[in-house]
Amino acid sequence: NPFSTLPVSSVDGASTASTTYPENYYTSVENPFSTLPMSSVDDASTTSTTYPASYYTTVENPFSTLPMSTVDDASTASTTTPANYYTSVENPFSTYSVSADSSTAEPTETPSYSYQLTLEQLNAAIPDRAGSDSCSSASFPDECATNKQALPAINAALAKYGVTKRSEVVAVISLMAFESSNWLYNTNHWPGRAGQGTRNMQMANFNQEYATTLHPEQAAAVLASSADPTSDDTVNALRALVLNDNDSFGSGFWYLVNHASAYHDTGKIAEDSLDSFKDYVQNGVGASWDDARQTIWETVNSAISA
């Protein structure tokens, strides 16, 4: 209890902690969970049980697993994660991870850790984009990304989607590297298929679902303003919503978890197995095999250590 001068005890759970406060409770420190000023009140039982509106927005309650929210009264606090939970703070008492977009937050537990890459690993995996000037000669410079630009977006996606297995990281990065020509392209240029894009080079139907999931209000506005939801202008507008770095580099991991779940956390994408990667490409993604995919996978697999 940070509002007491009592020493730390061996109490393991807040649920077993006594609700009795020491006599010097209010005289020693301001209680941020009360609207009462510092005083010589000796008995906490006389204080109101109503918490001020700023309760959760100003400080984390160390005795609760509830995340920060704008709940005014602790007695009505729900265990449902508020919309701003992922955009505001990491809850140290939860296995939820921070996300950049609250619209995708779901009250389901994720692993308490995720695989994270270093810039050295990514530079070795995608050497074409290791240099700061490696996009200078790109045909579409606005679409090209260096590894330094890609790294935080990839690591954010790994945490967001709970990807913890090295073999899956290798598989998805290899897939995206092939599809985007090592981060050169963010949209399909040949043959110029409308709606196709992201580093995963997803088709329009997947990008519509992806955009609707991540940016529901914006996607709804795009669809509402269009007479034909399948028109090139409409699917391109939906695609544009997910071309930012976080969404674009996160697309491959989103697809793995949401559309190829049989390959996620099941061991089906095995360690150091080209055959299982080939199986994922052909049967998990539904793409054709090309020997160039093997070359990329071998480089990525060698670069990313366990």
Side-chain angles (χ1 to χ4, degrees):
N1 179 1
F3 310 118
S4 171
T5 56
L6 294 176
V8 176
S9 71
S10 59
V11 176
D12 293 332
S15 63
T16 63
S18 170
T19 57
T20 302
Y21 293 75
E23 291 185 358
N24 64 356
Y25 180 81
Y26 283 97
T27 57
S28 60
V29 67
E30 177 70 56
N31 176 3
F33 307 123
S34 172
T35 54
L36 293 175
M38 285 190 187
S39 70
S40 58
V41 175
D42 294 332
D43 188 350
S45 65
T46 64
T47 63
S48 169
T49 57
T50 302
Y51 291 73
S54 61
Y55 176 81
Y56 286 99
T57 56
T58 58
V59 67
E60 178 72 50
N61 176 1
F63 305 112
S64 171
T65 55
L66 292 175
M68 289 189 182
S69 72
T70 55
V71 175
D72 293 338
D73 188 336
S75 65
T76 63
S78 167
T79 57
T80 303
T81 305
N84 66 353
Y85 172 70
Y86 287 92
T87 56
S88 60
V89 68
E90 176 74 46
N91 177 0
F93 306 107
S94 172
T95 54
Y96 288 106
S97 55
V98 174
S99 164
D101 190 333
S102 62
S103 64
T104 64
E106 295 180 358
T108 56
E109 288 193 353
T110 58
S112 58
Y113 72 97
S114 64
Y115 201 99
Q116 295 286 277
L117 298 177
T118 66
L119 183 57
E120 290 73 19
Q121 287 176 319
L122 194 57
N123 281 342
I126 315 292
D128 286 354
R129 298 293 161 260
S132 59
D133 61 347
S134 56
C135 286
S136 59
S137 60
S139 301
F140 301 91
D142 290 344
E143 295 188 20
C144 185
T146 65
N147 289 330
K148 186 176 182 179
Q149 181 180 342
L151 181 66
I154 291 173
N155 279 337
L158 292 173
K160 182 177 183 178
Y161 296 110
V163 178
T164 63
K165 296 185 183 299
R166 190 195 78 95
S167 56
E168 294 179 15
V169 178
V170 169
V172 174
I173 289 179
S174 299
L175 177 69
M176 293 195 299
F178 175 85
E179 297 295 342
S180 66
S181 294
N182 296 325
W183 319 149
L184 266 181
Y185 307 113
N186 210 11
T187 63
N188 177 267
H189 293 281
W190 299 278
R193 195 174 289 110
Q196 184 179 3
T198 73
R199 304 300 172 182
N200 202 38
M201 214 51 67
Q202 298 176 155
M203 295 296 184
N205 59 315
F206 290 115
N207 280 328
Q208 178 172 338
E209 179 187 345
Y210 193 37
T212 301
T213 300
L214 297 185
H215 311 288
E217 293 183 1
Q218 291 169 280
V222 169
L223 292 169
S225 64
S226 174
D228 181 5
T230 63
S231 70
D232 287 359
D233 287 345
T234 301
V235 296
N236 284 340
L238 290 169
R239 176 183 65 186
L241 296 178
V242 293
L243 294 183
N244 64 83
D245 285 343
N246 279 345
D247 294 347
S248 188
F249 281 103
S251 59
F253 301 101
W254 170 82
Y255 184 92
L256 169 67
V257 171
N258 290 280
H259 285 281
S261 58
Y263 292 84
H264 176 50
D265 273 347
T266 61
K268 199 167 184 178
I269 301 179
E271 277 292 327
D272 298 314
S273 173
L274 176 62
D275 287 341
S276 64
F277 172 61
K278 186 174 182 178
D279 176 50
Y280 177 63
V281 169
Q282 293 179 314
N283 300 308
V285 178
S288 59
W289 182 253
D290 187 300
D291 288 342
R293 292 185 186 272
Q294 177 176 341
T295 302
I296 291 176
W297 178 86
E298 289 173 347
T299 300
V300 175
N301 187 53
S302 176
I304 299 178
S305 58

